[in-house]
Amino acid sequence: MLSSCIIHSHTGPALSIMQWDGIGYHSRTPLVRIDGTLNRQRYISEVLEPVVLPHLQGLTTAIFQQDNARPLVARIFQRFLVNHRIQLLPWLACSPDL
């Protein structure tokens, strides 16, 4: 029980902050802070509509890439991309290349 051998740790619930950002060759989106859990509807209303759409509309050619997290493969998200004519880069789920 030497104090030099003891590591203190916190085992209770931890607070977390999620951030979202988009980057491109010559541009980037504003950083979006997301409090709480990000679900498919919040992703559309807090990230895609106010940030991604205006950013992509300002580019001449753009292909959107995302990491296939669960909210991003939902039908509502896929419909949103089709309705707004956003081209999506094909990407394997849980790809180690991301």
Side-chain angles (χ1 to χ4, degrees):
M1 295 302 289
L2 294 172
S3 61
S4 61
C5 297
I6 297 175
I7 298 174
H8 295 278
S9 64
H10 178 75
T11 58
L15 297 176
S16 66
I17 297 172
M18 181 183 293
Q19 298 178 16
W20 187 95
D21 189 18
I23 56 172
Y25 284 112
H26 303 290
S27 63
R28 63 182 177 87
T29 64
L31 186 65
V32 179
R33 178 181 167 162
I34 300 166
D35 295 318
T37 304
L38 181 66
N39 60 27
R40 35 188 93 100
Q41 190 57 49
R42 285 189 65 204
Y43 183 65
I44 289 172
S45 64
E46 295 178 23
V47 177
L48 293 179
E49 288 176 339
V51 179
V52 174
L53 281 179
H55 184 75
L56 291 178
Q57 290 169 351
L59 301 173
T60 54
T61 58
I63 299 175
F64 189 65
Q65 178 183 356
Q66 47 90 15
D67 64 359
N68 288 329
R70 194 170 290 272
L72 308 182
V73 295
R75 274 186 238 129
I76 188 172
F77 174 72
Q78 300 299 324
R79 252 192 324 266
F80 181 87
L81 295 176
V82 170
N83 291 343
H84 290 88
R85 296 185 184 115
I86 297 174
Q87 186 179 0
L88 185 64
L89 181 70
W91 203 256
L92 298 173
C94 302
S95 174
D97 295 331
L98 186 62

